[in-house]
Amino acid sequence: MTRSIQSPLWRRLPSLWWEVLTLSWRCTPGLTVLALVVLALSVVAVPGVALTLRATVDATAAGTAGVALAAAVGVAVAHALTSTFQTVTGEVLTTVADRTGRMGVHPRVHRAIASVPGIAHLERGDVLDRVDIVRRGTGQIGRSVWNVLLSASHVLKLLVTVVLLGAVHPLLLSLIPLAAVPLWTHRRGQALVRRAEVEGAENHRLQQDLFETVAGVTGGGETRVSGADARLDGLRQKAWLETERVRFRARARAAAWTFAGWLVFVAAFAGGIALVIVQASQGTGTVGDLVLTVMLAVSLGQTVRGTVTATAETAGARRVVEPYLWLRDHVAGELAREGTAEEPPRSLAEGLALDRVSFTYPGTDRPALDGLSARLPAGAVVAVVGEFGSGKTTLVKLLLGLYRPDSGAVRVEGRDLAGVSTERWRARCSAAFQDFGRFELSFGETVGIGDLDRMHEPGAVAQAVREADAEQIVDGLPDGAGTQLGRRLGGIELSEGQWQRAALARASMRRDPLLFVLDEPTASLDAPSEESIFRRYMERARTHARGTGTVTVVVSHRFSTVAGADLVLVMERGRIVESGTHAELMAIGGRYAGLYGIQERAYTADP
Amino acid sequence: MGPTHGTGTLRTLARILARLRDAGAVPAVALVAVRLMERLVTPVTAVALAALVGTLSGAGDTGTVTAALLPLGFLALVMLAGHLGDAAAEPLEYLVSSRIDGAHRDRVARMVREPSELGTLEAPQTQALIRQVRADPEHGVETTPGDGTTAAVRVAAGLAGVAVTCAVLASFAWWLVPIVLVPALVTVVLRYRLAVAGAATWVSAIGGEQHVDVWRRANVSAAEGKDIRVFGLRDWMVDRMQSRLGESNAPLWRHVEHRLRVEWLMFVLVLVGLVPAYLLVTLGSLEGAATVATQTAVLAAGATLFQLLGNGWDLYQLAGAGRDLRATDRLASEIESAGSAPAQRVAAPGAAVGEVRFEGVGFRYPGSERMVLEGVDLTVRPGELLAVVGLNGAGKSTLIKLLCGLYRPTHGRITVDGTDLAAVDPGQWRALLSVIFQDFDRYPLSVRENVVLGRGPDGRGSGAEGLGRTGPDEVGDADLEHVARTSGLADIVAGLPAGWDTPLSRGRTGGVDLSGGQWQQVALARALYGVRAGARFLVADEPTAHLDVRTEFRLFERLADQRAERDGRDGAGIVLISHRLSTVRRADRIVLLDGGRITEEGTHPELMALRGTYADLFETQAARFRNDNRATEADRGDTA
C-alpha cells in the first residue's frame, strides 16, 4: 500500500495541525480567535491568585491599608478570572474542535474514502480497520491542533510557576526537575490506560453488537423464538465485564504510579517550604512568600494534570492521524495511477475485451482470475455462469474498474481501461450487485441516486421503478416514493426482495450505459418477477445495443435465466472453461450441459 | 424540567445516588471516601496554610522553625491527601460508573427481552427510547447513568467541602457566609438551567446524526461502496451529509455560544461574592479585629465555594441522568402496557404435539392499513414437509412470524391441538420450533456459538429433552458435528483457522468474514441444532437463496430427512418457503399464498393438474428448460 518514501510522521504533523487550524478558522472564525485568546490569557492568569494573595498578606502585615485593600480586590478578580478561564477554555475548545471535526474534517475524510477508485480498501480487513479508525476519528483529528496548543499553554503555565518559585528562593528552582517526577509517572500510568482501552475494545464492540441484537435494533426475533436470548444476553454481559476488568486494572495501576510521583514531589516541596519558613523567620523573606509558595504548589498539581492529559491526547491522536495521513497518501497514489485520464468512447462498436487478465485478492494466494481472456462484443448480452468462487463477480468488478488487474488488461474498443478516467468510465456504466447497497433514504431517492442528474427529473424515477417491476412496492408504501426507509430512522423496513427490486430500479436510472451489469439480480425474487425482469432487461439490452452498443453482463448460477444470452461464459477456478451460445454449449456436452441438466431435471424428472 | 420540580428533582437525585448499590459496597464506599477527601482538601489547605502563617506571624524569631514543623507537616499531609484522592478517584469512578452502566444495560436488556412479541419493540418510539437509555454514548455530550451517579457523588462531596469553607468564613464573622454563598448558589442555579437546556439541544442533534450515520456506514461498506462508485455518488453524498450535520447540530452550537456569552455574568457573580468579603476581612485584619492567619484562610478558601458547588459539567451529567431515568421509566411502562398477556398460560403440548391450525387468520402490521394476510386457513402437521409458495410480498414471512408468536393475528386465531396459541406459554411453544428466518442473525461470536444459539438453555421447553441436559458450556461435540455434516457446514469449519472456535467477524481477534452462502449454511446448522434439541417443527424461509445448485439440492434432501422418525421420536414437521419450485415440488403438500390468502393447496401433481397459478409459476420456471430437451445424462454430479 505504501509507495514513495514518506517523511516521518513528526515532520508531517505541523503541516497537518496548521491545516486543521485553518479549517477551524474557516468553520468558526470567531470561536477560533476566542480559543486562541483564552489559551494565551490563561497562562498569564495562573499566578495571579498567588501573587495578589502575597501582596495582600504582606501589605496587611506592614499596615499599608491602601495597598492591602487594593490587593484584596486583586485576589477576588484573580479568582474570578481563573474560574472563568477554566470554564471558557474547556467549553470553547470542545465546541471549536467539535465543529471543526464535523464540518471541516468529516467531509474531507469521507470524500477521501470515496475517492479511492477501487473497493479493495473496503474489503480487506486490515485496510478497512484503518479506514474505519479514520472515519470514526474525525472529531479527534479536529481536536488535534487544539490539544497541541493546550499542551503548549500548560507547559508555559508550568514554567511561569517555577520561575516565580525561583524568585522566592533560587533553591526552589530545584523543584523543576522534581516536578518532572509526577509528570513522568502520570504519563506512564496514562500509557497503561490507553493500552487497556485498545485491549478492551474488542469485547466492548462485541457487547455493543450483542446489545443491538438483544434490544431488537438489528434483530431480536430469532433468539426470542429459539429461546437463546438469555444465553446471548449472558455473552453480552460477559464481554462487558471482561472489558471492565481490563480497563479497571490498568486505571488502578495508573493511579498507583501517579500517586507515587506526587509522594516524591510533595516530600521535596515540604522541604522547600521549610526553606521559605527559615528565610521568613530570619527576616530575609516574608510571610507572603510562604503564602505564595503554597498557593503555587496547589495550582501546580492542576497544571501537571492538565499537561499530561493534553500531551497524552496529542500523542494518542497519532492512532487516528497516522491512518488519516496514510489514507490521503493512498488516495493521492491511486489518483496518480489514473495517469492520462482519457474520455471513454461515446458508443461501442467493437466492445469490451479481457486480455490475459489475472487478479489475486491481496492476502490470498489463489488467483481469483487466472490469465483470463474473453471478448464481450458490442451490443451483446453476455451471461457469466459458474459455481461459487469461480470468479464471476470478480470479473464484473474488474470491468467496472472496482479492481485493477494484476496483469493483463481490460480493453474498451481496444484501449486499455487503465488509461481511461475511472470516474468517467463509470458514469457510462450501471450495475445491480448481488450484495446491493441498502441506502436508507426515501424510496424515491434510493432509486434516484442511480442517476443523480435525472434524480429530480419528473418521471425518471417512476420509469426506473416500472422497469424493475417495483411499482407494487411503491404503491404499498405509506407515502409512496417519498417514504423514508429504515426502521432506525422512523421509516419502513423493506424485505430482501423489495430491496433487490429497489437496487434493480436504481440500476435502470441511467439511460445509455456502455456497460450494464446484473450480478445475480433475482436471487430473492419469485418466478414471475424473475421471468418478467429477465424479459424486460433482455429487451432493454437490445434497445441499448442498437443505440450505444451496450454490453450487458448477467451473472447467474440459475441457468434457466441465461439461456437467452448471446454468449455464455462458463467459469471455473478463475478461468473460462467453455464459451458459446446455449445451443453450442449444450451440444459440447461439457460443464455447462452438465450443470444445466441438474437444474432441468429438477423441473422435468419425477420428484 | 417543569417549573414545579423542587421535590421531583430531589427524588430524582436520590434515585441517581441509590444506583451506587449497583457498584457493590466496597467500590461505592471507597469512591465516596476518596471524593470526600479530595473535595475537602481545597478548604483544608487554606486552614493548614493559615495555621502556618499564624505560627510565623505570631511568634518571634526564636523557635519559629520548630513551632512551624507541626503545621508544615499537616500541610504536607493535606497536599498528599489531595493527590491521593485525585489519583484514586479515577479508577474508582471508572469502576463504579462501569458497574452502574452494566447493571443498567442488564436491566434494559431484560426489559426488552420481556415481551414475547415484536410489535411494541419494533415501534419507532420504543426504538428511540432504547437508543436513549442504552448507556452507550456515541456523541461526545451523551451521558450515562454511571456518569450521572459519579457526578452526584462529586456534587455531594463538594457540599461537604462547602461546609468546611463556610466554617472558615464564619471564623471571621457569621455574616460573611451569606455574602459569599448567595452569589455562589445563584451561579449553580444558572449553570443547572444551562445544562438542562443544553441537554435538550443534543437530543435534537441526534436525529440528524442518525441520517448521517446511514452514509457514514455506507461509505466504509463494500456493498454500498460499489454503488457509491458506480453511480458517482461521492460529492452528492458528502454534501448531503454536511448539510444534515450542519442543520441538526446548529441548535447545539448556538446553545454553546449562548453559554459562552453568559459566562461574563458568572464572572460578575464571583466578584459580587468575593470583593466585599475580601475587603471586609482585610479591613478587619488591618484594624486588628482578625489575625493574618484568619485573613489568609478566608482569602484562600472563599473562592472555593464557587468550585465546590459543582461545575457545569457535573450538573449537565446529573441532568442527563435524570432524563435517562425518566426515559427508562417510560420504556418500562411502554413495554408493560403492551404485554397484555393473558393471566393464565396453558402449557404447550409436549413432544407429541399434533396439528397447528390457522383458522381464518388475518393480519396487518401495527400502524399499517394494509392487510398482509386475510382469512388464512392452514394446517401444519408433524412429519410432513409443507411448502409455502407465492409472489414476493404475498405474506409468507409474516405467516412464519405469526406461527412463532412474534405477532398476534388481528383476526382469527392459531391453535395448537385445539388450544389458542395466544393462551399458550410462548416459551414452551417456541421450544417446539426451530426457525431459519430470511434475515437470520449473524453473531460476531464463534461458529460454535453461532450454531448453539439455535436453542436456549432448556428446562423451559417440554419438547427439548435431547440436548436439554447440556448446559451452555458443555455442548455435545457429537451434536455439533452431526448438524455440521448435515448442513454442509463441516467443510467450512474445517477450513477455519481455529475450527469451531473461530469468531465469525473480522473485527475480532482471529476472526473471519463468511460469504452470504456460507452464512446461510451456518443458519441452517443452527436450525438443525434446534431440531436435534427437540424442536417439532422446522421452519425455513428461503434457506437456500444464496446457495448454488448442487448445494441447494443436497441441503433440500437433508432438510427433507428431518421429517423421518428418529431415535423413536416422531419426525419434525417442516415448513419451507421458497421461490425455487424445482425444490418445492418435492414437498408433501404445497400451499399457494396469493394476496394474503391461500388460493391453492395440494401436492405438486395435484396443483399441476389444477392448472392454476401454481402451475403457471412452475411452467414459467420450467419453460426455459423445456425449450431444450436434449438434456444430457452426463455429469450427474453428486446430486444423488
Side-chain angles (χ1 to χ4, degrees), chain A residues 298, chain B residues 37-47 78 165 300-301 304 307-308:
Chain A
V298 170
Chain B
M37 185 159 80
E38 180 251 340
R39 291 285 139 134
L40 286 176
V41 157
T42 339
V44 172
T45 306
V47 175
V78 170
T165 306
T304 60
Q307 299 159 17
L308 289 170

Side-chain angles (χ1 to χ4, degrees), chain A residues 93-103 139 142, chain B residues 139 249 252-253:
Chain A
L93 289 189
T94 310
T95 194
V96 165
D98 185 45
R99 289 168 79 153
T100 311
R102 277 177 215 281
M103 303 313 286
Chain B
H139 204 284
N249 282 289
L252 182 63
W253 290 334

Side-chain angles (χ1 to χ4, degrees), chain A residues 99 106 125 202 205 207 222 224 231 233 236-237 244 305 388 438 526 560 599-600 602-603 605, chain B residues 86 98 105-106 113 115 224 227 229 242 257 392 441 472 506-507 509 526 546 549 585 621 624 631:
Chain A
R99 289 168 79 153
H106 185 269
E202 181 178 336
R205 267 201 311 274
Q207 63 84 21
E222 189 172 331
R224 232 162 266 263
R231 181 180 170 83
D233 201 26
R236 175 193 65 76
Q237 221 166 342
E244 182 179 281
R305 260 197 307 282
F388 263 113
R438 292 148 199 257
D526 54 53
S560 60
Q599 294 192 8
E600 184 199 24
Y603 287 99
Chain B
D86 250 349
S98 170
R105 279 166 76 84
D106 292 350
R113 274 168 43 207
E224 277 82 8
D227 289 299
R229 282 166 182 73
Q242 291 315 120
E257 283 168 13
N392 286 117
D441 288 351
R506 261 222 32 94
T509 315
R526 189 188 299 159
H546 292 289
V549 189
R585 66 189 289 222
Q621 286 186 13
R624 289 165 191 273

Side-chain angles (χ1 to χ4, degrees), chain A residues 53 57 79 291 295, chain B residues 42-51 53 164-165 167-169 171-172 176 278 281 291-304:
Chain A
L53 201 53
V57 171
H79 271 306
V291 173
M295 293 314 282
Chain B
T42 339
V44 172
T45 306
V47 175
L49 176 63
V53 169
V164 175
T165 306
V168 170
L169 296 181
S171 73
F172 175 73
L176 211 51
Y278 286 6
V281 173
T291 61
V292 179
T294 309
Q295 183 199 10
T296 309
V298 170
L299 261 58
T304 60

Side-chain angles (χ1 to χ4, degrees), chain A residues 265-281:
Chain A
F265 182 78
V266 171
F269 198 79
I273 294 175
L275 197 73
V276 180
I277 291 173
V278 171
Q279 217 179 22
S281 66

Side-chain angles (χ1 to χ4, degrees), chain A residues 53 56 60 69 72 75 79 84 88 91 98-99 102-103 106-107 110-111 113-119 121-122 125 128-129 202 205-208 211-212 215-217 222-228 230-231 233 236-237 240 244 247-248 251 255 259 262 273 287 290 305 387-388 426 430-431 433 435 437-439 441 445 449-450 452 487-489 501 510 523-528 531 557-558 560 582 595-596 599-600 602-603 605 607, chain B residues 53 56 72 83-84 86-87 91 94 98-99 102 105-106 109 112-113 115 121-122 127 130 134 136 209-210 214-217 219-221 223-224 226-227 229-231 233-236 238 240-242 245 253 257 259 263 267 278-279 282 285-286 295 299 303 391-392 430 440-441 443-444 449 453-456 460 472 506-509 526 546-550 552-553 579-580 582 585-586 617-618 620-621 624-625 628-629 631:
Chain A
L53 201 53
T56 319
T60 310
L69 289 175
V75 176
H79 271 306
T84 304
V88 172
E91 291 254 17
D98 185 45
R99 289 168 79 153
R102 277 177 215 281
M103 303 313 286
H106 185 269
H110 279 281
R111 186 165 280 131
I113 294 172
S115 292
V116 181
I119 52 162
H121 65 306
L122 304 181
L128 182 57
D129 286 350
E202 181 178 336
R205 267 201 311 274
L206 178 62
Q207 63 84 21
Q208 276 179 322
F211 186 86
E212 300 261 294
V217 183
E222 189 172 331
T223 46
R224 232 162 266 263
V225 175
S226 69
R231 181 180 170 83
D233 201 26
R236 175 193 65 76
Q237 221 166 342
W240 174 279
E244 182 179 281
R247 292 185 175 171
F248 171 67
R251 281 176 168 79
F259 182 64
W262 283 113
I273 294 175
V287 177
L290 175 69
R305 260 197 307 282
E387 294 190 70
F388 263 113
R426 287 204 190 118
S430 194
F433 293 98
D435 55 336
R438 292 148 199 257
F439 295 97
L441 312 168
E445 285 172 326
I449 55 175
L452 291 174
R487 192 190 300 144
R488 246 190 312 237
L489 303 170
R501 274 178 221 254
R510 282 188 175 155
S524 304
L525 300 185
D526 54 53
E531 164 69 17
H557 61 255
R558 302 270 158 208
S560 60
H582 170 72
L595 289 168
Y596 186 86
Q599 294 192 8
E600 184 199 24
Y603 287 99
Chain B
V53 169
L56 278 181
L72 175 61
H83 289 301
L84 180 61
D86 250 349
Y94 169 80
S98 170
R99 287 198 173 168
R105 279 166 76 84
D106 292 350
V112 299
R113 274 168 43 207
L121 196 61
E122 287 180 340
Q127 283 295 317
I130 291 174
R134 67 185 168 171
D136 186 9
E209 292 279 336
Q210 277 179 302
V214 170
W215 289 107
R216 289 187 179 128
R217 279 191 297 264
N219 202 22
V220 296
S221 144
E224 277 82 8
K226 289 198 287 288
D227 289 299
R229 282 166 182 73
V230 170
F231 299 115
L233 301 180
R234 184 190 61 205
D235 296 336
W236 183 81
V238 172
R240 193 177 160 105
M241 277 200 268
Q242 291 315 120
L245 269 184
W253 290 334
E257 283 168 13
R259 217 150 58 183
E263 203 52 47
F267 178 75
Y278 286 6
L279 281 176
T282 307
S285 188
L286 283 166
Q295 183 199 10
L299 261 58
L391 303 183
N392 286 117
R430 287 170 184 170
F440 53 83
D441 288 351
Y443 307 110
E449 285 294 350
L453 282 165
R455 178 54 54 209
R460 85 156 192 204
R506 261 222 32 94
R508 303 204 51 200
T509 315
R526 189 188 299 159
H546 292 289
L547 298 177
D548 62 51
V549 189
R550 288 169 199 268
E552 178 181 342
F553 267 65
H579 294 310
R580 302 293 154 208
S582 54
R585 66 189 289 222
R586 296 188 285 172
L617 288 176
F618 188 84
T620 310
Q621 286 186 13
R624 289 165 191 273
F625 293 103
D628 188 318
N629 253 332

